[in-house]
């Protein structure tokens, strides 16, 4: 047991660090902030302490160490320094935990080496997470630091959902399988949805639709993930802000052979120039709705393609689960875009799914039901809170 009650959550990207300091007695935020454009000339730090003014600084920060030192200085200025005895642990978001990490894990040299061995399957994400961990450990070598993996919640997927139907030896040699991502959010939202229904998570079957710029769906049976839409990488599944989601893999051969594109160009096309942005030039659902209201056909088609895919996944996961207690919408689009929610369940009355127009129009930061009172299956909006989930998982690990 520790008497310290604070947890610092770090989400380290290749050129950014997002952070939140939480008080675990009530889950409140003591400070939140981010550093952007690390290693790109002038970096920008935005820091907001609870109940205080937002502060913004621009300075060159060559790497994550300089960035984290700057964050530590901001926290110290608010009396929340990293050297405080009240700091119980640092929780790190780590994108890929492979098959080895099925739960949050206290970081040791051995754990870090294992996360490094996963770089070939997560080349875009794990290197930045590793740099963040190394830097934080150098700053506070004595403090417990915990890795919370995006993939962990999905490690309960049965083998028949996790394996691609390709040659087994080739798949195993290169660790090719469906890992899934956004797991921290799917775990949090499925649990909060059960709570909203007044059920224990072990009794609730929930389809979670995490619709942010990245988007994924999951089928959660009694608190355990049984299927999810992202795969080896976050490219598979739903139509996203800039990613295509599901596509015939032969499209990539075609782009190579016929369009003469390199592997990197195809990668960039499917990850950065596809999805909503590829279809209509915008990836912000607000802008797309505005254009639709003005009669823009491309925006309309992009919206329809997005919703069609979503509906297919709702149907697929309904079939996977057999019995569904709730469909939960979360993240930027899921929490805010009422027209997406309405369109996604439209025509699914036979499945017991419907949205009440008035409830759907309510804007709120609270978990809420948007289905009619007599609906067989609940439709819910449940704001995600990945930082709180990371902090709670971190704290419960070091506080045992
Ligand atoms: P990520 O964490 O993946 O970057 P978020 O969960 O923050 O993404 O979601 C960002 C997206 O949410 C935006 O690209 C935009 O499409 C959508 N969004 C945010 N606010 C609204 C809103 N008020 N109405 C419709 N869509 C919104």
């Amino acid at each position: 047991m520790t008497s310290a009650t604070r947890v610092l959550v770090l989400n380290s990207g290749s050129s950014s660090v997002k952070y939140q300091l939480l008080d675990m007695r009530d889950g409140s935020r003591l400070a939140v902030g981010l550093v952007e454009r690390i290693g790109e000339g002038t970096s920008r730090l935005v820091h907001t302490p609870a109940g205080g003014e937002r502060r913004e600084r621009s300075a060159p920060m060559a790497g994550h160490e300089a960035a984290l030192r700057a964050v530590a200085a901001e926290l110290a200025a608010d009396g929340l320094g990293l050297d405080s005895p009240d700091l119980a642990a640092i929780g790190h978001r780590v994108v890929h935990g492979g098959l080895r990490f099925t739960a949050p894990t206290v970081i040791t040299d051995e754990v870090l080496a294992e996360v490094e061995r996963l770089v070939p399957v997560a080349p875009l994400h794990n290197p930045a997470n590793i740099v963040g961990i190394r830097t934080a450990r150098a700053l506070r070598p004595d403090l417990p630091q915990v890795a919370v993996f995006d993939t962990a919640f999905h490690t309960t997927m049965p083998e028949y959902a996790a394996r691609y139907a390709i040659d087994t030896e080739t798949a195993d040699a290169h660790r090719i399988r469906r890992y899934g991502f956004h797991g921290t959010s799917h775990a949090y939202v499925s649990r909060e949805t059960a709570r909203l229904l007044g059920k224990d998570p072990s009794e609730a079957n929930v389809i979670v639709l995490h619709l942010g710029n990245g988007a994924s769906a999951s089928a959660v049976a009694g608190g355990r993930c049984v299927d999810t839409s992202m795969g080896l990488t976050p490219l598979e599944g739903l139509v996203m802000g800039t990613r295509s989601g599901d596509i015939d893999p032969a499209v990539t051969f075609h782009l190579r052979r016929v369009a003469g594109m390199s592997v990197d160009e195809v990668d960039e096309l499917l990850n950065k120039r596809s999805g909503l942005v590829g279809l209509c030039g915008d990836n912000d659902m607000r802008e797309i709705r505005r254009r639709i209201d003005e009669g823009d056909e491309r925006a309309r088609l992009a919206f329809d393609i997005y919703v069609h895919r979503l509906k297919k996944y709702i149907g697929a996961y309904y079939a996977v689960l057999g019995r569904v207690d709730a469909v939960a919408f979360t993240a930027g689009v899921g929490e805010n875009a009422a027209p997406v929610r309405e369109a996604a369940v439209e025509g699914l009355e036979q499945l017991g799914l419907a949205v009440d127009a008035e409830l759907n129009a309510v804007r709120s930061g609270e978990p809420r039901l948007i289905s009619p009172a007599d609906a067989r299956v609940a439709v819910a909006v449940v704001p995600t809170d990945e930082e709180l989930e990371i902090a709670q998982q971190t704290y419960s690990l070091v506080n045992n």
Side-chain angles (χ1 to χ4, degrees), residues 18 182 210-214 276 283-286 331-333 336-337 363 386:
K18 293 186 197 141
H182 290 147
H210 176 111
L211 311 177
N213 201 25
L276 292 170
N283 61 342
D284 192 313
M285 195 51 82
R286 284 163 288 203
V333 176
N336 296 298
R363 299 195 62 85
E386 290 166 279

PDB file of all heavy atoms in Angstrom, residues 18 182 210-214 276 283-286 331-333 336-337 363 386, ligand 1:
ATOM      1  N   LYS A  18       1.107  13.801 -24.361  1.00  0.00           N
ATOM      2  CA  LYS A  18      -0.078  14.284 -23.654  1.00  0.00           C
ATOM      3  C   LYS A  18       0.032  13.777 -22.225  1.00  0.00           C
ATOM      4  O   LYS A  18       0.481  12.645 -22.006  1.00  0.00           O
ATOM      5  CB  LYS A  18      -1.348  13.723 -24.295  1.00  0.00           C
ATOM      6  CG  LYS A  18      -1.611  14.248 -25.682  1.00  0.00           C
ATOM      7  CD  LYS A  18      -2.976  13.755 -26.170  1.00  0.00           C
ATOM      8  CE  LYS A  18      -3.067  13.903 -27.664  1.00  0.00           C
ATOM      9  NZ  LYS A  18      -3.741  12.819 -28.330  1.00  0.00           N
ATOM     10  N   HIS A 182      -7.329   0.506 -29.158  1.00  0.00           N
ATOM     11  CA  HIS A 182      -8.326   1.261 -28.375  1.00  0.00           C
ATOM     12  C   HIS A 182      -8.850   0.426 -27.197  1.00  0.00           C
ATOM     13  O   HIS A 182      -9.935   0.687 -26.686  1.00  0.00           O
ATOM     14  CB  HIS A 182      -9.558   1.644 -29.231  1.00  0.00           C
ATOM     15  CG  HIS A 182      -9.319   2.686 -30.269  1.00  0.00           C
ATOM     16  ND1 HIS A 182      -9.997   2.684 -31.459  1.00  0.00           N
ATOM     17  CD2 HIS A 182      -8.514   3.764 -30.295  1.00  0.00           C
ATOM     18  CE1 HIS A 182      -9.611   3.716 -32.197  1.00  0.00           C
ATOM     19  NE2 HIS A 182      -8.700   4.392 -31.502  1.00  0.00           N
ATOM     20  N   HIS A 210     -16.295   2.849 -30.805  1.00  0.00           N
ATOM     21  CA  HIS A 210     -15.383   3.956 -30.489  1.00  0.00           C
ATOM     22  C   HIS A 210     -15.123   4.712 -31.791  1.00  0.00           C
ATOM     23  O   HIS A 210     -14.385   4.243 -32.651  1.00  0.00           O
ATOM     24  CB  HIS A 210     -14.073   3.399 -29.897  1.00  0.00           C
ATOM     25  CG  HIS A 210     -13.037   4.449 -29.629  1.00  0.00           C
ATOM     26  ND1 HIS A 210     -12.650   4.814 -28.360  1.00  0.00           N
ATOM     27  CD2 HIS A 210     -12.314   5.228 -30.477  1.00  0.00           C
ATOM     28  CE1 HIS A 210     -11.737   5.776 -28.441  1.00  0.00           C
ATOM     29  NE2 HIS A 210     -11.515   6.037 -29.715  1.00  0.00           N
ATOM     30  N   LEU A 211     -15.775   5.864 -31.929  1.00  0.00           N
ATOM     31  CA  LEU A 211     -15.696   6.619 -33.189  1.00  0.00           C
ATOM     32  C   LEU A 211     -14.982   7.946 -32.953  1.00  0.00           C
ATOM     33  O   LEU A 211     -15.611   8.965 -32.645  1.00  0.00           O
ATOM     34  CB  LEU A 211     -17.117   6.866 -33.730  1.00  0.00           C
ATOM     35  CG  LEU A 211     -18.052   5.640 -33.785  1.00  0.00           C
ATOM     36  CD1 LEU A 211     -19.445   6.054 -34.268  1.00  0.00           C
ATOM     37  CD2 LEU A 211     -17.472   4.559 -34.673  1.00  0.00           C
ATOM     38  N   GLY A 212     -13.674   7.919 -33.042  1.00  0.00           N
ATOM     39  CA  GLY A 212     -12.890   9.150 -32.949  1.00  0.00           C
ATOM     40  C   GLY A 212     -12.350   9.434 -34.342  1.00  0.00           C
ATOM     41  O   GLY A 212     -12.992   9.104 -35.332  1.00  0.00           O
ATOM     42  N   ASN A 213     -11.158  10.001 -34.419  1.00  0.00           N
ATOM     43  CA  ASN A 213     -10.523  10.114 -35.725  1.00  0.00           C
ATOM     44  C   ASN A 213     -10.132   8.711 -36.179  1.00  0.00           C
ATOM     45  O   ASN A 213     -10.414   8.298 -37.294  1.00  0.00           O
ATOM     46  CB  ASN A 213      -9.333  11.062 -35.625  1.00  0.00           C
ATOM     47  CG  ASN A 213      -8.955  11.605 -36.982  1.00  0.00           C
ATOM     48  OD1 ASN A 213      -9.783  11.669 -37.889  1.00  0.00           O
ATOM     49  ND2 ASN A 213      -7.696  11.948 -37.129  1.00  0.00           N
ATOM     50  N   GLY A 214      -9.520   7.948 -35.262  1.00  0.00           N
ATOM     51  CA  GLY A 214      -9.426   6.494 -35.438  1.00  0.00           C
ATOM     52  C   GLY A 214     -10.740   5.917 -34.937  1.00  0.00           C
ATOM     53  O   GLY A 214     -11.361   6.508 -34.056  1.00  0.00           O
ATOM     54  N   LEU A 276     -12.748   9.192 -44.457  1.00  0.00           N
ATOM     55  CA  LEU A 276     -13.574  10.370 -44.755  1.00  0.00           C
ATOM     56  C   LEU A 276     -12.797  11.410 -45.558  1.00  0.00           C
ATOM     57  O   LEU A 276     -13.320  12.007 -46.502  1.00  0.00           O
ATOM     58  CB  LEU A 276     -14.091  10.989 -43.454  1.00  0.00           C
ATOM     59  CG  LEU A 276     -15.107  10.145 -42.672  1.00  0.00           C
ATOM     60  CD1 LEU A 276     -15.348  10.744 -41.291  1.00  0.00           C
ATOM     61  CD2 LEU A 276     -16.421  10.023 -43.449  1.00  0.00           C
ATOM     62  N   ASN A 283     -12.179  15.341 -42.656  1.00  0.00           N
ATOM     63  CA  ASN A 283     -12.356  14.222 -41.724  1.00  0.00           C
ATOM     64  C   ASN A 283     -13.055  14.653 -40.444  1.00  0.00           C
ATOM     65  O   ASN A 283     -13.212  13.867 -39.523  1.00  0.00           O
ATOM     66  CB  ASN A 283     -11.023  13.530 -41.408  1.00  0.00           C
ATOM     67  CG  ASN A 283     -10.035  14.456 -40.765  1.00  0.00           C
ATOM     68  OD1 ASN A 283     -10.183  15.663 -40.842  1.00  0.00           O
ATOM     69  ND2 ASN A 283      -9.023  13.908 -40.125  1.00  0.00           N
ATOM     70  N   ASP A 284     -13.486  15.899 -40.397  1.00  0.00           N
ATOM     71  CA  ASP A 284     -14.210  16.352 -39.210  1.00  0.00           C
ATOM     72  C   ASP A 284     -15.714  16.217 -39.471  1.00  0.00           C
ATOM     73  O   ASP A 284     -16.253  16.826 -40.403  1.00  0.00           O
ATOM     74  CB  ASP A 284     -13.844  17.810 -38.895  1.00  0.00           C
ATOM     75  CG  ASP A 284     -14.354  18.214 -37.519  1.00  0.00           C
ATOM     76  OD1 ASP A 284     -15.533  17.926 -37.210  1.00  0.00           O
ATOM     77  OD2 ASP A 284     -13.587  18.808 -36.753  1.00  0.00           O
ATOM     78  N   MET A 285     -16.368  15.413 -38.641  1.00  0.00           N
ATOM     79  CA  MET A 285     -17.781  15.122 -38.866  1.00  0.00           C
ATOM     80  C   MET A 285     -18.648  16.387 -38.817  1.00  0.00           C
ATOM     81  O   MET A 285     -19.668  16.473 -39.492  1.00  0.00           O
ATOM     82  CB  MET A 285     -18.249  14.088 -37.835  1.00  0.00           C
ATOM     83  CG  MET A 285     -19.546  13.421 -38.145  1.00  0.00           C
ATOM     84  SD  MET A 285     -19.671  12.718 -39.823  1.00  0.00           S
ATOM     85  CE  MET A 285     -18.847  11.136 -39.639  1.00  0.00           C
ATOM     86  N   ARG A 286     -18.217  17.378 -38.039  1.00  0.00           N
ATOM     87  CA  ARG A 286     -18.981  18.648 -38.000  1.00  0.00           C
ATOM     88  C   ARG A 286     -19.007  19.301 -39.368  1.00  0.00           C
ATOM     89  O   ARG A 286     -20.044  19.761 -39.846  1.00  0.00           O
ATOM     90  CB  ARG A 286     -18.347  19.630 -36.997  1.00  0.00           C
ATOM     91  CG  ARG A 286     -18.620  19.298 -35.563  1.00  0.00           C
ATOM     92  CD  ARG A 286     -17.675  20.019 -34.658  1.00  0.00           C
ATOM     93  NE  ARG A 286     -16.321  19.433 -34.769  1.00  0.00           N
ATOM     94  CZ  ARG A 286     -15.391  19.530 -33.847  1.00  0.00           C
ATOM     95  NH1 ARG A 286     -15.612  20.212 -32.760  1.00  0.00           N
ATOM     96  NH2 ARG A 286     -14.219  18.962 -33.997  1.00  0.00           N
ATOM     97  N   ALA A 331     -16.298   8.342 -27.981  1.00  0.00           N
ATOM     98  CA  ALA A 331     -15.244   9.146 -28.630  1.00  0.00           C
ATOM     99  C   ALA A 331     -15.861  10.308 -29.428  1.00  0.00           C
ATOM    100  O   ALA A 331     -17.097  10.420 -29.498  1.00  0.00           O
ATOM    101  CB  ALA A 331     -14.321   8.295 -29.487  1.00  0.00           C
ATOM    102  N   GLY A 332     -15.010  11.142 -30.016  1.00  0.00           N
ATOM    103  CA  GLY A 332     -15.433  12.426 -30.601  1.00  0.00           C
ATOM    104  C   GLY A 332     -16.697  12.366 -31.438  1.00  0.00           C
ATOM    105  O   GLY A 332     -17.640  13.133 -31.220  1.00  0.00           O
ATOM    106  N   VAL A 333     -16.750  11.461 -32.408  1.00  0.00           N
ATOM    107  CA  VAL A 333     -17.930  11.346 -33.261  1.00  0.00           C
ATOM    108  C   VAL A 333     -19.067  10.658 -32.494  1.00  0.00           C
ATOM    109  O   VAL A 333     -20.211  11.131 -32.489  1.00  0.00           O
ATOM    110  CB  VAL A 333     -17.602  10.554 -34.552  1.00  0.00           C
ATOM    111  CG1 VAL A 333     -18.846  10.342 -35.395  1.00  0.00           C
ATOM    112  CG2 VAL A 333     -16.516  11.258 -35.349  1.00  0.00           C
ATOM    113  N   ASN A 336     -20.674  12.963 -29.922  1.00  0.00           N
ATOM    114  CA  ASN A 336     -21.212  14.262 -30.347  1.00  0.00           C
ATOM    115  C   ASN A 336     -22.102  14.256 -31.577  1.00  0.00           C
ATOM    116  O   ASN A 336     -22.915  15.167 -31.739  1.00  0.00           O
ATOM    117  CB  ASN A 336     -20.052  15.224 -30.619  1.00  0.00           C
ATOM    118  CG  ASN A 336     -19.250  15.518 -29.368  1.00  0.00           C
ATOM    119  OD1 ASN A 336     -19.786  16.071 -28.414  1.00  0.00           O
ATOM    120  ND2 ASN A 336     -18.003  15.115 -29.352  1.00  0.00           N
ATOM    121  N   ALA A 337     -21.917  13.274 -32.443  1.00  0.00           N
ATOM    122  CA  ALA A 337     -22.612  13.341 -33.733  1.00  0.00           C
ATOM    123  C   ALA A 337     -23.924  12.558 -33.709  1.00  0.00           C
ATOM    124  O   ALA A 337     -23.974  11.371 -34.066  1.00  0.00           O
ATOM    125  CB  ALA A 337     -21.695  12.840 -34.846  1.00  0.00           C
ATOM    126  N   ARG A 363     -27.359  17.179 -25.584  1.00  0.00           N
ATOM    127  CA  ARG A 363     -25.899  17.276 -25.500  1.00  0.00           C
ATOM    128  C   ARG A 363     -25.504  17.208 -24.027  1.00  0.00           C
ATOM    129  O   ARG A 363     -26.018  17.950 -23.206  1.00  0.00           O
ATOM    130  CB  ARG A 363     -25.407  18.582 -26.118  1.00  0.00           C
ATOM    131  CG  ARG A 363     -25.748  18.708 -27.591  1.00  0.00           C
ATOM    132  CD  ARG A 363     -24.938  19.808 -28.243  1.00  0.00           C
ATOM    133  NE  ARG A 363     -23.516  19.513 -28.164  1.00  0.00           N
ATOM    134  CZ  ARG A 363     -22.872  18.743 -29.041  1.00  0.00           C
ATOM    135  NH1 ARG A 363     -23.503  18.185 -30.033  1.00  0.00           N
ATOM    136  NH2 ARG A 363     -21.575  18.522 -28.919  1.00  0.00           N
ATOM    137  N   GLU A 386      -9.941   7.485 -21.363  1.00  0.00           N
ATOM    138  CA  GLU A 386      -8.803   6.565 -21.388  1.00  0.00           C
ATOM    139  C   GLU A 386      -7.774   6.905 -20.309  1.00  0.00           C
ATOM    140  O   GLU A 386      -7.161   6.018 -19.733  1.00  0.00           O
ATOM    141  CB  GLU A 386      -8.148   6.588 -22.785  1.00  0.00           C
ATOM    142  CG  GLU A 386      -9.045   5.929 -23.823  1.00  0.00           C
ATOM    143  CD  GLU A 386      -8.637   6.215 -25.257  1.00  0.00           C
ATOM    144  OE1 GLU A 386      -8.990   7.295 -25.756  1.00  0.00           O
ATOM    145  OE2 GLU A 386      -7.991   5.362 -25.867  1.00  0.00           O
TER     146      GLU A 386
HETATM  147  P1  LIG B   1      -8.880  10.980 -31.589  1.00  0.00           P
HETATM  148  O1  LIG B   1      -8.730  10.796 -30.093  1.00  0.00           O
HETATM  149  O2  LIG B   1      -8.971   9.692 -32.361  1.00  0.00           O
HETATM  150  O3  LIG B   1      -7.965  11.981 -32.201  1.00  0.00           O
HETATM  151  P2  LIG B   1     -11.479  12.098 -30.913  1.00  0.00           P
HETATM  152  O4  LIG B   1     -12.117  10.998 -30.155  1.00  0.00           O
HETATM  153  O5  LIG B   1     -11.087  13.321 -30.190  1.00  0.00           O
HETATM  154  O6  LIG B   1     -10.305  11.585 -31.829  1.00  0.00           O
HETATM  155  O7  LIG B   1     -12.497  12.505 -32.098  1.00  0.00           O
HETATM  156  C1  LIG B   1     -12.180  13.517 -33.000  1.00  0.00           C
HETATM  157  C2  LIG B   1     -13.289  13.615 -34.040  1.00  0.00           C
HETATM  158  O8  LIG B   1     -14.543  13.788 -33.385  1.00  0.00           O
HETATM  159  C3  LIG B   1     -13.178  14.803 -34.956  1.00  0.00           C
HETATM  160  O9  LIG B   1     -12.376  14.501 -36.084  1.00  0.00           O
HETATM  161  C4  LIG B   1     -14.616  15.065 -35.376  1.00  0.00           C
HETATM  162  O10 LIG B   1     -14.920  14.331 -36.547  1.00  0.00           O
HETATM  163  C5  LIG B   1     -15.422  14.485 -34.248  1.00  0.00           C
HETATM  164  N1  LIG B   1     -16.138  15.497 -33.458  1.00  0.00           N
HETATM  165  C6  LIG B   1     -15.671  16.193 -32.408  1.00  0.00           C
HETATM  166  N2  LIG B   1     -16.620  17.040 -31.944  1.00  0.00           N
HETATM  167  C7  LIG B   1     -17.721  16.855 -32.722  1.00  0.00           C
HETATM  168  C8  LIG B   1     -19.034  17.417 -32.765  1.00  0.00           C
HETATM  169  N3  LIG B   1     -19.420  18.347 -31.899  1.00  0.00           N
HETATM  170  N4  LIG B   1     -19.883  16.957 -33.705  1.00  0.00           N
HETATM  171  C9  LIG B   1     -19.510  16.019 -34.596  1.00  0.00           C
HETATM  172  N5  LIG B   1     -18.294  15.440 -34.596  1.00  0.00           N
HETATM  173  C10 LIG B   1     -17.405  15.850 -33.685  1.00  0.00           C
END
